[in-house]
Amino acid sequence: MVDAVLAFAILLPTVLLTIGLLIAGMQRGPSEPAPADPIRGPERMLAERLAGGEIDIEEYERRLHVLPAAQR
């Protein structure tokens, strides 16, 4: 009998806390969208090639410098 009362005394606050947190989360509304990735399209591909070791830093900088002119 004592075990049942002790289990209830632990379980009830846990359930109430969980319900309260769920309700508070729903009232907050949707979260803000993640910020846009600053590196897109060709710039991202170029950065991935640099990270993968396909090109060196000099080649990366040369191609990155040329990209804005090609995108106009």
Side-chain angles (χ1 to χ4, degrees), residues 11-26:
L11 185 61
L12 182 64
T14 303
V15 170
L16 292 175
L17 178 64
T18 303
I19 291 171
L21 289 173
L22 287 173
I23 291 172
M26 286 188 287

